[in-house]
């Protein structure tokens, strides 16, 4: 079996978080979703588990941090073009996200922007010119 990654995020409002992640291109996996969690898949190998604070607390004894106040990580997802980066940001804003909490970068061969989800987690949307990768 190939490797997969699941990013597990504690969320304040499961419905709002689910709507945001569906808007930026994820699909709901109902097999692992219920009133305590939403499983959002971005590909066959990349998933995000949105967990209510109560459910998340079953997996750790640590206090749940406030991503709106403290930067904990930047998570990046690739896009197929600059236009796709911009369109994804717009869809995320329409679903309750905040565009560009960090400055956008356009280096010619690489373009990125960021979006903050309703809980304050920052995602980078990134396009890289395939010709520049060679």
């Amino acid at each position: 079996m190939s490797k997969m990654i699941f990013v597990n995020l504690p969320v304040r409002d499961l419905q709002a978080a689910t709507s945001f992640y569906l808007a930026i291109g994820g699909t709901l996996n109902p097999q692992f979703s219920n009133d305590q969690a939403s499983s959002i898949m971005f590909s066959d190998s990349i998933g995000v588990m949105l967990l209510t604070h109560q459910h998340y607390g079953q997996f750790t004894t640590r206090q749940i941090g406030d991503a709106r106040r403290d930067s904990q990580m930047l998570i990046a997802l690739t896009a197929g073009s600059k236009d796709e980066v911009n369109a994804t940001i717009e869809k995320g804003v329409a679903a309750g996200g905040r565009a560009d909490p960090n400055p956008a970068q356009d280096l010619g061969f690489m373009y990125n922007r960021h979006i903050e989800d309703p809980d304050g987690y920052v995602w980078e949307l990134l396009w890289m010119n395939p010709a520049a990768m060679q």
Side-chain angles (χ1 to χ4, degrees):
M1 179 164 96
S2 64
K3 295 196 185 279
M4 298 177 71
I5 184 169
F6 287 93
V7 178
N8 294 277
L9 299 175
V11 298
R12 291 174 181 84
D13 181 333
L14 183 60
Q15 190 64 25
T18 300
S19 295
F20 172 83
Y21 285 93
L22 293 175
I24 65 167
T27 57
L28 185 71
N29 179 350
Q31 183 179 3
F32 298 107
S33 301
N34 55 39
D35 62 344
Q36 295 287 307
S38 289
S39 175
I40 308 292
M41 298 304 295
F42 283 95
S43 73
D44 291 340
S45 59
I46 301 170
V48 176
M49 288 299 300
L50 306 172
L51 308 168
T52 63
H53 280 210
Q54 180 183 9
H55 191 55
Y56 186 89
Q58 295 175 10
F59 303 106
T60 183
T61 58
R62 293 183 180 193
Q63 179 179 340
I64 295 172
D66 186 349
R68 293 176 179 158
R69 185 187 66 228
D70 302 316
S71 179
Q72 298 164 340
M73 71 179 99
L74 293 174
I75 309 163
L77 283 174
T78 58
S81 68
K82 290 181 181 183
D83 288 341
E84 185 181 337
V85 168
N86 292 328
T88 302
I89 296 290
E90 290 172 17
K91 290 174 187 173
V93 168
R98 184 171 71 94
D100 303 313
N102 298 322
Q105 283 188 312
D106 190 346
L107 304 174
F109 68 93
M110 184 176 78
Y111 176 74
N112 70 334
R113 290 181 65 191
H114 299 86
I115 188 156
E116 182 178 309
D117 81 358
D119 285 275
Y121 301 109
V122 177
W123 288 77
E124 176 182 25
L125 280 289
L126 170 71
W127 169 80
M128 292 194 314
N129 182 341
M133 303 280 294
Q134 314 232 347

